[in-house]
Amino acid sequence: MTNSLYNILVPVDFTSKNEWAIAKAIELSNSLHCNVHLVHVLNGDEPKLAGERLLTMKEHYKDHLCGEGSMEISMLHGNPYQQLSDYITHFQMDLVIVGLSRFNFFERVLSSVSISRLSRKANVPVLAVRASGLVHHFKKIILPLNDHIPLSRIKLAALLGRHFKSTIYLVSLRKKSTGEYNLPVLNETLNVIQSITTIPVQSIILEGKNLATSTLNFAGRINADLIMINPIKDFCMPGFWNRLTRKLMSYHSRMPVLTMD
């Protein structure tokens, strides 16, 4: 993770959920002066029509950019994961933003799986936003902790925190069986953040059996603006179906959730 964001990728399929992903990308571009890349992977649609729709989309949104960033469009052919991963690597994308369907259950399950898979395959942060999660700042950033120090998430949280004058909340789950919590990881993460930034940091011990559920409950109580997670089992919602589909908390959260491996 660099000290800034230069390129943001928004995969588009010309559905309504693209609207809030693009809106968030433009907002970040205007704040951080980064480029926005709208990328469509052909999936049975006619190339000429898809190209025209991409051009129309660019014309519609490009005037919304008021910083130093530009808007680029691209059309790819082939396996979506592989094509997006190759594009991310070749053009050095720093962030991917995807929109989650507001009502379509099946689409939202697939989106949750896609977020986890893309984050792992391309090794890039993936920010999931819903229509109800279009906050215009990241004043309260939640960083849930499991059993390791998340250096990449720390650096990105510090970057966003410095720009938005945020407070970072480090949250860890108390173990019901022993009443203990991961104090070494909590303290070391706090030390790392304080060594690279002066933004406020709070350490919170949560109660509950599942880190994802407890984090969402806490986020609701403090009206958080962003949750930053790792796509591993600790951040999946409880229940057999959720574990089977790797349904991350981004599926359930009203606020934006950023996933990075």
PDB file of all heavy atoms in Angstrom, residues 28 30 46 48 75 110 114 119 125 162 177 181 187 195-196 210 237 240 257:
ATOM      1  N   LEU A  28     -14.133   9.935  -3.777  1.00  0.00           N
ATOM      2  CA  LEU A  28     -12.744   9.736  -3.358  1.00  0.00           C
ATOM      3  C   LEU A  28     -11.776  10.396  -4.331  1.00  0.00           C
ATOM      4  O   LEU A  28     -10.744  10.949  -3.926  1.00  0.00           O
ATOM      5  CB  LEU A  28     -12.444   8.241  -3.235  1.00  0.00           C
ATOM      6  CG  LEU A  28     -13.113   7.512  -2.072  1.00  0.00           C
ATOM      7  CD1 LEU A  28     -12.820   6.017  -2.132  1.00  0.00           C
ATOM      8  CD2 LEU A  28     -12.641   8.084  -0.738  1.00  0.00           C
ATOM      9  N   ASN A  30     -12.306  13.100  -6.101  1.00  0.00           N
ATOM     10  CA  ASN A  30     -12.324  14.544  -5.869  1.00  0.00           C
ATOM     11  C   ASN A  30     -11.585  14.923  -4.586  1.00  0.00           C
ATOM     12  O   ASN A  30     -11.061  16.028  -4.470  1.00  0.00           O
ATOM     13  CB  ASN A  30     -13.766  15.045  -5.812  1.00  0.00           C
ATOM     14  CG  ASN A  30     -14.447  15.010  -7.165  1.00  0.00           C
ATOM     15  OD1 ASN A  30     -13.783  14.998  -8.199  1.00  0.00           O
ATOM     16  ND2 ASN A  30     -15.765  14.978  -7.173  1.00  0.00           N
ATOM     17  N   GLU A  46     -23.253  -7.752 -26.582  1.00  0.00           N
ATOM     18  CA  GLU A  46     -22.690  -7.363 -27.872  1.00  0.00           C
ATOM     19  C   GLU A  46     -21.613  -6.288 -27.666  1.00  0.00           C
ATOM     20  O   GLU A  46     -21.872  -5.264 -27.040  1.00  0.00           O
ATOM     21  CB  GLU A  46     -23.818  -6.836 -28.755  1.00  0.00           C
ATOM     22  CG  GLU A  46     -23.583  -7.056 -30.241  1.00  0.00           C
ATOM     23  CD  GLU A  46     -22.685  -5.970 -30.814  1.00  0.00           C
ATOM     24  OE1 GLU A  46     -22.850  -4.809 -30.395  1.00  0.00           O
ATOM     25  OE2 GLU A  46     -21.835  -6.300 -31.664  1.00  0.00           O
ATOM     26  N   LYS A  48     -20.185  -3.956 -29.473  1.00  0.00           N
ATOM     27  CA  LYS A  48     -20.444  -2.594 -29.934  1.00  0.00           C
ATOM     28  C   LYS A  48     -21.393  -1.866 -29.001  1.00  0.00           C
ATOM     29  O   LYS A  48     -21.165  -0.709 -28.637  1.00  0.00           O
ATOM     30  CB  LYS A  48     -21.023  -2.620 -31.349  1.00  0.00           C
ATOM     31  CG  LYS A  48     -21.268  -1.233 -31.922  1.00  0.00           C
ATOM     32  CD  LYS A  48     -21.834  -1.294 -33.334  1.00  0.00           C
ATOM     33  CE  LYS A  48     -22.103   0.105 -33.880  1.00  0.00           C
ATOM     34  NZ  LYS A  48     -22.675   0.062 -35.251  1.00  0.00           N
ATOM     35  N   MET A  75     -12.941  -2.103 -21.965  1.00  0.00           N
ATOM     36  CA  MET A  75     -13.796  -3.267 -22.164  1.00  0.00           C
ATOM     37  C   MET A  75     -12.896  -4.492 -22.331  1.00  0.00           C
ATOM     38  O   MET A  75     -11.987  -4.497 -23.158  1.00  0.00           O
ATOM     39  CB  MET A  75     -14.684  -3.079 -23.396  1.00  0.00           C
ATOM     40  CG  MET A  75     -15.741  -4.153 -23.569  1.00  0.00           C
ATOM     41  SD  MET A  75     -16.990  -3.640 -24.791  1.00  0.00           S
ATOM     42  CE  MET A  75     -15.953  -3.319 -26.244  1.00  0.00           C
ATOM     43  N   LEU A 110     -23.626 -13.541  -4.543  1.00  0.00           N
ATOM     44  CA  LEU A 110     -22.530 -13.621  -5.504  1.00  0.00           C
ATOM     45  C   LEU A 110     -21.536 -12.476  -5.294  1.00  0.00           C
ATOM     46  O   LEU A 110     -20.322 -12.664  -5.407  1.00  0.00           O
ATOM     47  CB  LEU A 110     -23.069 -13.590  -6.933  1.00  0.00           C
ATOM     48  CG  LEU A 110     -23.789 -14.842  -7.422  1.00  0.00           C
ATOM     49  CD1 LEU A 110     -24.282 -14.640  -8.858  1.00  0.00           C
ATOM     50  CD2 LEU A 110     -22.887 -16.067  -7.353  1.00  0.00           C
ATOM     51  N   SER A 114     -17.626 -12.730  -4.651  1.00  0.00           N
ATOM     52  CA  SER A 114     -16.739 -12.067  -5.591  1.00  0.00           C
ATOM     53  C   SER A 114     -15.767 -11.137  -4.879  1.00  0.00           C
ATOM     54  O   SER A 114     -14.591 -11.046  -5.246  1.00  0.00           O
ATOM     55  CB  SER A 114     -17.554 -11.263  -6.613  1.00  0.00           C
ATOM     56  OG  SER A 114     -18.417 -12.109  -7.348  1.00  0.00           O
ATOM     57  N   SER A 119     -10.356  -9.890  -3.890  1.00  0.00           N
ATOM     58  CA  SER A 119      -9.384  -9.335  -2.967  1.00  0.00           C
ATOM     59  C   SER A 119      -8.184 -10.257  -2.818  1.00  0.00           C
ATOM     60  O   SER A 119      -7.030  -9.805  -2.792  1.00  0.00           O
ATOM     61  CB  SER A 119     -10.036  -9.097  -1.601  1.00  0.00           C
ATOM     62  OG  SER A 119      -9.086  -8.621  -0.669  1.00  0.00           O
ATOM     63  N   PRO A 125      -7.361  -3.912  -2.171  1.00  0.00           N
ATOM     64  CA  PRO A 125      -8.517  -3.608  -1.325  1.00  0.00           C
ATOM     65  C   PRO A 125      -9.787  -3.491  -2.170  1.00  0.00           C
ATOM     66  O   PRO A 125      -9.769  -2.882  -3.242  1.00  0.00           O
ATOM     67  CB  PRO A 125      -8.155  -2.260  -0.691  1.00  0.00           C
ATOM     68  CG  PRO A 125      -6.679  -2.123  -0.851  1.00  0.00           C
ATOM     69  CD  PRO A 125      -6.331  -2.854  -2.111  1.00  0.00           C
ATOM     70  N   ARG A 162      -6.017  10.253   8.010  1.00  0.00           N
ATOM     71  CA  ARG A 162      -5.356  11.571   7.948  1.00  0.00           C
ATOM     72  C   ARG A 162      -6.147  12.529   7.072  1.00  0.00           C
ATOM     73  O   ARG A 162      -6.271  13.715   7.387  1.00  0.00           O
ATOM     74  CB  ARG A 162      -3.928  11.407   7.401  1.00  0.00           C
ATOM     75  CG  ARG A 162      -2.929  10.860   8.387  1.00  0.00           C
ATOM     76  CD  ARG A 162      -1.499  11.033   7.880  1.00  0.00           C
ATOM     77  NE  ARG A 162      -1.272  10.265   6.662  1.00  0.00           N
ATOM     78  CZ  ARG A 162      -0.790   9.026   6.638  1.00  0.00           C
ATOM     79  NH1 ARG A 162      -0.516   8.415   7.778  1.00  0.00           N
ATOM     80  NH2 ARG A 162      -0.586   8.409   5.490  1.00  0.00           N
ATOM     81  N   SER A 177     -15.286 -18.384  26.609  1.00  0.00           N
ATOM     82  CA  SER A 177     -14.837 -19.514  27.426  1.00  0.00           C
ATOM     83  C   SER A 177     -13.854 -19.099  28.523  1.00  0.00           C
ATOM     84  O   SER A 177     -13.884 -19.610  29.633  1.00  0.00           O
ATOM     85  CB  SER A 177     -14.181 -20.578  26.532  1.00  0.00           C
ATOM     86  OG  SER A 177     -13.118 -19.999  25.782  1.00  0.00           O
ATOM     87  N   TYR A 181      -8.983 -11.693  25.955  1.00  0.00           N
ATOM     88  CA  TYR A 181      -8.979 -11.134  24.613  1.00  0.00           C
ATOM     89  C   TYR A 181      -7.528 -10.988  24.166  1.00  0.00           C
ATOM     90  O   TYR A 181      -6.594 -11.148  24.972  1.00  0.00           O
ATOM     91  CB  TYR A 181      -9.708  -9.794  24.549  1.00  0.00           C
ATOM     92  CG  TYR A 181      -9.181  -8.740  25.499  1.00  0.00           C
ATOM     93  CD1 TYR A 181      -8.208  -7.825  25.078  1.00  0.00           C
ATOM     94  CD2 TYR A 181      -9.647  -8.655  26.802  1.00  0.00           C
ATOM     95  CE1 TYR A 181      -7.718  -6.871  25.935  1.00  0.00           C
ATOM     96  CE2 TYR A 181      -9.150  -7.696  27.666  1.00  0.00           C
ATOM     97  CZ  TYR A 181      -8.195  -6.812  27.230  1.00  0.00           C
ATOM     98  OH  TYR A 181      -7.712  -5.859  28.082  1.00  0.00           O
ATOM     99  N   ASN A 187      -2.555  -4.212  21.517  1.00  0.00           N
ATOM    100  CA  ASN A 187      -1.572  -3.205  21.915  1.00  0.00           C
ATOM    101  C   ASN A 187      -0.568  -2.919  20.808  1.00  0.00           C
ATOM    102  O   ASN A 187      -0.191  -1.766  20.576  1.00  0.00           O
ATOM    103  CB  ASN A 187      -0.832  -3.655  23.179  1.00  0.00           C
ATOM    104  CG  ASN A 187      -1.699  -3.545  24.415  1.00  0.00           C
ATOM    105  OD1 ASN A 187      -2.696  -2.834  24.414  1.00  0.00           O
ATOM    106  ND2 ASN A 187      -1.326  -4.249  25.473  1.00  0.00           N
ATOM    107  N   SER A 195       2.585   5.154  15.672  1.00  0.00           N
ATOM    108  CA  SER A 195       3.934   5.447  15.171  1.00  0.00           C
ATOM    109  C   SER A 195       3.911   6.097  13.789  1.00  0.00           C
ATOM    110  O   SER A 195       4.912   6.684  13.369  1.00  0.00           O
ATOM    111  CB  SER A 195       4.773   4.172  15.121  1.00  0.00           C
ATOM    112  OG  SER A 195       4.343   3.317  14.078  1.00  0.00           O
ATOM    113  N   ILE A 196       2.782   5.980  13.072  1.00  0.00           N
ATOM    114  CA  ILE A 196       2.731   6.519  11.702  1.00  0.00           C
ATOM    115  C   ILE A 196       1.719   7.639  11.536  1.00  0.00           C
ATOM    116  O   ILE A 196       1.684   8.281  10.485  1.00  0.00           O
ATOM    117  CB  ILE A 196       2.428   5.404  10.672  1.00  0.00           C
ATOM    118  CG1 ILE A 196       1.058   4.764  10.953  1.00  0.00           C
ATOM    119  CG2 ILE A 196       3.518   4.360  10.661  1.00  0.00           C
ATOM    120  CD1 ILE A 196       0.658   3.713   9.915  1.00  0.00           C
ATOM    121  N   ASN A 210     -19.233 -14.100  17.749  1.00  0.00           N
ATOM    122  CA  ASN A 210     -18.781 -13.957  16.375  1.00  0.00           C
ATOM    123  C   ASN A 210     -18.270 -12.541  16.150  1.00  0.00           C
ATOM    124  O   ASN A 210     -18.979 -11.573  16.435  1.00  0.00           O
ATOM    125  CB  ASN A 210     -19.933 -14.284  15.415  1.00  0.00           C
ATOM    126  CG  ASN A 210     -19.549 -14.123  13.956  1.00  0.00           C
ATOM    127  OD1 ASN A 210     -19.738 -13.055  13.386  1.00  0.00           O
ATOM    128  ND2 ASN A 210     -19.013 -15.168  13.354  1.00  0.00           N
ATOM    129  N   MET A 237     -20.188 -14.055   8.409  1.00  0.00           N
ATOM    130  CA  MET A 237     -21.321 -14.085   9.312  1.00  0.00           C
ATOM    131  C   MET A 237     -21.543 -15.514   9.796  1.00  0.00           C
ATOM    132  O   MET A 237     -21.202 -16.476   9.100  1.00  0.00           O
ATOM    133  CB  MET A 237     -22.567 -13.552   8.612  1.00  0.00           C
ATOM    134  CG  MET A 237     -22.436 -12.119   8.115  1.00  0.00           C
ATOM    135  SD  MET A 237     -22.014 -10.929   9.420  1.00  0.00           S
ATOM    136  CE  MET A 237     -23.517 -10.962  10.401  1.00  0.00           C
ATOM    137  N   PHE A 240     -24.211 -22.020   8.916  1.00  0.00           N
ATOM    138  CA  PHE A 240     -23.639 -22.915   7.916  1.00  0.00           C
ATOM    139  C   PHE A 240     -23.701 -22.312   6.520  1.00  0.00           C
ATOM    140  O   PHE A 240     -22.716 -22.344   5.774  1.00  0.00           O
ATOM    141  CB  PHE A 240     -24.384 -24.256   7.927  1.00  0.00           C
ATOM    142  CG  PHE A 240     -23.953 -25.191   6.833  1.00  0.00           C
ATOM    143  CD1 PHE A 240     -22.754 -25.874   6.925  1.00  0.00           C
ATOM    144  CD2 PHE A 240     -24.737 -25.369   5.695  1.00  0.00           C
ATOM    145  CE1 PHE A 240     -22.346 -26.724   5.914  1.00  0.00           C
ATOM    146  CE2 PHE A 240     -24.338 -26.214   4.676  1.00  0.00           C
ATOM    147  CZ  PHE A 240     -23.138 -26.894   4.790  1.00  0.00           C
ATOM    148  N   VAL A 257     -17.987  -1.444   3.557  1.00  0.00           N
ATOM    149  CA  VAL A 257     -17.033  -2.393   4.132  1.00  0.00           C
ATOM    150  C   VAL A 257     -15.896  -2.572   3.145  1.00  0.00           C
ATOM    151  O   VAL A 257     -16.128  -2.870   1.958  1.00  0.00           O
ATOM    152  CB  VAL A 257     -17.700  -3.754   4.429  1.00  0.00           C
ATOM    153  CG1 VAL A 257     -16.649  -4.767   4.903  1.00  0.00           C
ATOM    154  CG2 VAL A 257     -18.797  -3.599   5.474  1.00  0.00           C
TER     155      VAL A 257
END
